[in-house]
């Protein structure tokens, strides 16, 4: 079985992220670039499956700038067998639709049985890429899985909904997206870091994949501004009327 894991390099989730108000885009030099935490969990799902079946192959795949190669090297150090980096200046600022088209073409070129992705990136929060990749590939999607289970010829899992939980399944090939309820990623050890240097890391361009990018197929930011400083809250001093004043405040804020 071959599992392709989609990963994305993002500004460090636990640091302050800065918007460049002149472009409306994230200032990616303002904080450390890392693998998105949810994608590390997706990779961990694949690696745990590999722990139980050494014949299983795990490939990490990303679309991103030159620097995204470091995130792929970390994925290799964690235990992925190979990595693929789609890097092309024409993809700078690409919208979700074209990103998904390129990812799908790269997945198809690798050959796969299962694709695993995070449910949504921490920098974009769109959550549409896994579904769009599934549409391009013509395969079933199991989205927002809290638990993923592999079996010969199929994949299943548990998905929460407003009314409870759903047990879902699909035949392979398929794509799944995972939530933060999946296990935290393992930390790459020294042996993994050293072995990562010998693992294959391929680079592809849009031309290599035969994907045509429509003119103007990029996300455009109309305006951006810094968040205003937080103002002092309303202080209620109990002088015998505090309860009524608090109730009025909550009612005015439509909180009760």
């Amino acid at each position: 079985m071959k599992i392709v894991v989609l990963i994305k390099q993002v500004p460090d989730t636990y640091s302050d992220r800065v918007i460049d108000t002149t472009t409306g885009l994230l200032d990616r030099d303002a904080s450390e670039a890392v693998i998105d935490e949810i994608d590390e969990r997706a990779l961990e799902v694949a690696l745990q499956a590999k722990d139980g079946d050494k014949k299983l192959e795990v490939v990490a795949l990303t679309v991103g700038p030159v620097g995204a190669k470091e995130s792929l090297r970390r994925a290799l150090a964690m235990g992925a067998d190979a990595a693929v980096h789609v890097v092309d200046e024409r993809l700078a600022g690409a919208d979700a639709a074209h990103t998904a088209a390129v990812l799908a073409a790269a997945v198809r070129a690798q050959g796969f049985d299962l694709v695993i992705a995070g449910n949504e990136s921490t920098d974009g929060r769109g959550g549409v890429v896994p579904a769009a990749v599934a549409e391009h590939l013509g395969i079933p999607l199991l989205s927002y899985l809290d638990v993923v289970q592999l079996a010969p010829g199929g994949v299943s899992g548990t998905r929460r909904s407003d009314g409870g939980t759903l047990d879902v399944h699909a035949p392979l090939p398929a794509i799944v997206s995972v939530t933060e309820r999946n296990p935290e990623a393992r930390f790459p050890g020294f042996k993994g870091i050293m072995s990562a240097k010998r693992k294959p890391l391929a680079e592809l361009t849009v031309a290599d994949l035969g994907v045509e990018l429509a003119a103007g197929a990029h996300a455009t930011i109309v305006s951006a501004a810094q968040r205003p400083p937080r103002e002092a809250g309303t202080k209620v001093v109990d002088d015998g009327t505090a309860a009524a004043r608090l109730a009025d405040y909550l009612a005015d804020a439509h909180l009760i």
Side-chain angles (χ1 to χ4, degrees):
M1 178 183 290
K2 187 173 186 178
I3 300 178
V4 177
V5 181
L6 307 183
I7 68 172
K8 184 178 183 182
Q9 187 181 68
V10 299
D12 189 351
T13 310
Y14 296 101
S15 66
D16 292 333
R17 281 165 283 184
V18 179
I19 294 288
D20 184 340
T21 54
T22 60
T23 64
L25 301 177
L26 276 173
D27 182 354
R28 296 188 178 276
D29 295 327
S31 59
E32 183 181 359
V34 299
I35 300 177
D36 202 336
E37 182 184 4
I38 192 63
D39 295 336
E40 285 194 328
R41 291 178 187 262
L43 180 59
E44 180 63 24
V45 170
L47 293 178
Q48 288 191 10
K50 182 178 175 63
D51 290 342
D53 181 2
K54 299 304 181 183
K55 295 180 181 179
L56 191 150
E57 181 182 3
V58 176
V59 178
L61 168 63
T62 195
V63 171
V66 174
K69 187 180 279 81
E70 295 308 311
S71 289
L72 288 175
R73 294 194 188 282
R74 178 176 174 83
L76 292 172
M78 290 169 64
D81 299 292
V84 178
H85 185 191
V86 182
V87 54
D88 196 308
E89 291 183 357
R90 290 177 292 171
L91 292 172
D95 61 14
H98 278 73
T99 299
V102 172
L103 282 169
V107 168
R108 187 183 293 111
Q110 297 307 304
F112 68 99
D113 296 291
L114 178 66
V115 180
I116 304 179
N119 57 352
E120 61 181 10
S121 64
T122 56
D123 60 346
R125 294 292 186 187
V128 299
V129 169
V133 171
E135 181 69 17
H136 281 290
L137 295 174
I139 58 176
L141 164 71
L142 303 182
S143 61
Y144 290 83
L145 296 187
D146 294 337
V147 177
V148 180
Q149 297 173 326
L150 290 178
V155 59
S156 61
T158 302
R159 186 183 197 275
R160 284 181 295 163
S161 69
D162 292 338
T165 59
L166 300 173
D167 292 328
V168 294
H169 60 89
L172 298 179
I175 178 170
V176 302
S177 69
V178 302
T179 71
E180 69 282 352
R181 287 178 173 254
N182 283 271
E184 291 186 7
R186 64 193 66 188
F187 191 82
F190 178 76
K191 182 178 179 180
I193 294 172
M194 296 305 296
S195 64
K197 298 178 180 180
R198 301 188 298 271
K199 294 179 179 179
L201 197 167
E203 287 190 4
L204 298 173
T205 65
V206 171
D208 293 331
L209 297 171
V211 178
E212 294 186 6
L213 298 179
H218 295 79
T220 301
I221 306 300
V222 176
S223 64
Q226 293 290 347
R227 177 183 296 176
R230 179 177 295 180
E231 298 179 354
T234 300
K235 181 181 291 187
V236 177
V237 179
D238 190 2
D239 58 359
T241 63
R245 292 168 60 195
L246 180 59
D248 290 341
Y249 174 81
L250 294 175
D252 290 342
H254 303 289
L255 298 175
I256 59 173

